[in-house]
Amino acid sequence: MKEQIKFYGGEEIPLELHKVRIVQKLHLVPIERRLSALYEGGFNTFQLGTRDVFLDMLTDSGTNAMSDQQLASMMQADDAYSGSQSFTRLHTAVEEVLGKKYFLPVHQGRAAEHIISKTFIKKGDVIPMNYHFTTALAHIAECGGTIAELLHDDALQIKSDNPFKGNIDIDKLVACIEKNGKEKIPFIRMEASTNLIGGQPFSIANLMDVRRVADKYGIMLVLDASLIGENAYLIKQREKEWQENTMSDILKMMTNLTDLVYFSARKLSSSRGGGICTNRKELYGKMEALVPLFEGFLTYGGMSVREIEAMAVGLYETLDETIISQSPEFIKYFVNQLDALGIPVVTPAGVLGCHIDAKQFCAHIPQPEYPAGALAAAFFLISGVRGMERGTISSVRDEEGKEILADVELLRLAIPRRVFTLSQIRYVIDRLQWLYDNREMIGGLKFTYEPPVLRFFMGKLAPVSDWPEKMMAKFRRDFGSSL
Ligand code: F0G
């Protein structure tokens, strides 16, 4: 294990092991402006402009801080439609870090999901997985497939000490294959650091078990590696057998156990872009032609060469425990502080962000009035901090148009890598504490415009009453300020 830095006074605070060399000024606009911004954006935090946002905790996607090495690499980018040296460097990085020989570049993670789904899924197929991600589900559905989510029963419990909530329940996996027949299952999908249940990892032991089942039935195993670095870091922290291994050993073990690996480089390597890689030439061959059709030529896949250079360096940086640990350690601090204050938060602390349980926080808001969306809007109003709803608004309707209520209603406050300071996290905790004490004032939301696909991105909502105005008045009374 890496040695931990200890404080003489016994405090447990995460210490930044980097210095800030480029800064961006932030604006904390008055609460009156924040309220107007909410109405203009249909109470959907995706629709806010960053001029109105103080701390942007919407996502870590494309918002992780880039390193000096990444920025430097962008200067040597080799512009060429085909055969650029930048791509050669990226290809080498994929081989060295992820251990896969064949690589297809794409413009971002969902483009990989598009190509994989289109190549392998036909109508009526079933994809077993630990849990879905929104864009993965949308692409599977687009190809006529359905999903089977096979987490252990306790994985959706908010407060838990299960270190690997992202594990697949092997009995459920076998039952799913037996029930549907292996001909209907083109692949099993494992998502590293299972995003929608709170950034929760799976263990190597579990991945090995999934591999055994996949081999027994002759089914391909696909890994969504967008958050593989953080999953590997938590394996090192939590899985005894792997504590003495390097990040590289763990990453390689994860990818070696899978046939096909895809990722969003926006998350994985603090850059842009994405990719699909494999050691099986025949799988590569099946997908190859779709890259020039949908993305761009095979040596850029819709990315700029500068992005390609930054991605290559970012991939190597994924092996650096100091870099990868920064966000999970901040999240752990954040989660532990909220937990100590009695604010309902997903435990154990996962990766990507801090996940607050809106079902408990807003227990008075019925699920069809979107408690997580309402909490996200209320929190922006009183803090200027933008989080993301990960609940029923991010879900879909069934074929009859009825809401499929989400398993969990979460407000996600993302902690992109090396972006925020500890005093900013303390501000967020302070405002959450105020909101928790005033939680009865938060009201529900209703759709005023609901797009048919991925409605959470562009949808517009409105409050069911004048609760935002009342909350603003209370905020001004309590703080004696509109900031
Ligand atoms: N897979 C996972 C696990 C993801 O978290 C994401 C994106 C994707 C695939 C799609 O990648 O955005 O590059 O097309 N997650 C972002 C988020 C959007 O905010 O969690 P993409």
Side-chain angles (χ1 to χ4, degrees), residues 158-217:
I158 299 296
K159 209 172 162 80
S160 157
D161 52 13
N162 179 352
F164 293 111
K165 284 175 160 179
N167 281 354
I168 278 193
D169 181 327
I170 298 297
D171 293 340
K172 286 187 193 167
L173 177 61
V174 171
C176 170
I177 299 171
E178 291 287 342
K179 180 174 146 227
N180 293 290
K182 63 177 184 182
E183 324 63 51
K184 283 224 173 303
I185 302 183
F187 60 85
I188 300 165
R189 175 178 175 274
M190 270 304 249
E191 184 182 309
S193 309
T194 328
N195 186 327
L196 292 189
I197 63 163
Q200 300 290 321
F202 59 69
S203 66
I204 295 273
N206 186 249
L207 189 60
M208 285 174 164
D209 288 343
V210 174
R211 177 78 255 174
R212 271 190 280 277
V213 175
D215 284 343
K216 178 171 167 209
Y217 291 96

Side-chain angles (χ1 to χ4, degrees), residues 247-322:
M247 288 287 285
S248 176
D249 296 337
I250 299 173
L251 244 80
K252 287 262 179 49
M253 179 51 89
M254 292 168 85
T255 56
N256 282 346
L257 286 166
T258 53
D259 301 289
L260 202 66
V261 175
Y262 78 87
F263 56 90
S264 165
R266 299 173 62 84
K267 297 175 102 81
L268 175 62
S269 62
S270 312
S271 60
R272 298 291 181 273
I276 308 172
C277 56
T278 179
N279 278 333
R280 289 176 53 185
K281 196 167 180 199
E282 81 282 7
L283 299 181
Y284 171 87
K286 283 185 184 166
M287 293 179 287
E288 188 185 15
L290 295 185
V291 174
L293 183 61
F294 293 115
E295 298 295 304
F297 192 70
L298 282 170
T299 55
Y300 72 91
M303 288 181 272
S304 77
V305 279
R306 287 159 67 85
E307 290 163 357
I308 287 175
E309 293 282 0
M311 186 168 153
V313 173
L315 275 173
Y316 289 113
E317 290 180 345
T318 307
L319 304 179
D320 183 333
E321 203 179 325
T322 301

Side-chain angles (χ1 to χ4, degrees), residues 28-200:
L28 179 54
V29 297
I31 193 165
E32 293 79 4
R33 173 62 210 144
R34 300 194 300 247
L35 183 62
S36 306
L38 276 175
Y39 277 103
E40 287 159 20
F43 281 73
N44 177 353
T45 56
F46 274 101
Q47 297 290 318
L48 294 169
T50 54
R51 267 305 298 196
D52 297 316
V53 172
F54 175 43
L55 302 177
D56 193 1
M57 297 189 162
L58 185 72
T59 178
D60 61 342
S61 174
T63 59
N64 288 317
M66 283 192 141
S67 70
D68 47 0
Q69 302 296 320
Q70 282 183 297
L71 288 172
S73 76
M74 291 169 97
M75 300 305 290
Q76 59 168 353
D78 173 28
D79 257 311
Y81 189 90
S82 82
S84 113
Q85 292 173 64
S86 299
F87 181 73
T88 310
R89 282 190 276 273
L90 174 58
H91 199 167
T92 306
V94 169
E95 229 176 315
E96 291 184 358
V97 177
L98 300 176
K100 301 287 187 201
K101 281 204 293 268
Y102 303 103
F103 173 56
L104 294 168
V106 293
H107 79 275
Q108 65 182 83
R110 70 201 67 181
E113 288 162 345
H114 173 212
I115 287 172
I116 293 168
S117 302
K118 214 170 169 72
T119 306
F120 297 105
I121 299 175
K122 51 187 192 326
K123 199 168 182 319
D125 281 351
V126 179
I127 316 298
M129 56 179 68
N130 46 358
Y131 206 73
H132 78 278
F133 183 70
T134 50
T135 53
L137 172 60
H139 280 292
I140 291 166
E142 193 70 15
C143 294
T146 53
I147 61 167
E149 292 170 327
L150 307 173
L151 293 170
H152 285 272
D153 293 342
D154 67 348
L156 298 177
Q157 259 171 34
I158 299 296
K159 209 172 162 80
S160 157
D161 52 13
N162 179 352
F164 293 111
K165 284 175 160 179
N167 281 354
I168 278 193
D169 181 327
I170 298 297
D171 293 340
K172 286 187 193 167
L173 177 61
V174 171
C176 170
I177 299 171
E178 291 287 342
K179 180 174 146 227
N180 293 290
K182 63 177 184 182
E183 324 63 51
K184 283 224 173 303
I185 302 183
F187 60 85
I188 300 165
R189 175 178 175 274
M190 270 304 249
E191 184 182 309
S193 309
T194 328
N195 186 327
L196 292 189
I197 63 163
Q200 300 290 321

Side-chain angles (χ1 to χ4, degrees), residues 400-425:
E400 283 151 24
K402 282 217 319 261
E403 286 278 10
I404 302 180
L405 299 176
D407 294 328
V408 283
E409 292 286 339
L410 303 176
L411 164 61
R412 181 181 87 182
L413 298 172
I415 309 289
R417 213 176 280 159
R418 302 193 291 183
V419 169
F420 297 122
T421 64
L422 206 61
S423 60
Q424 289 171 333
I425 303 292

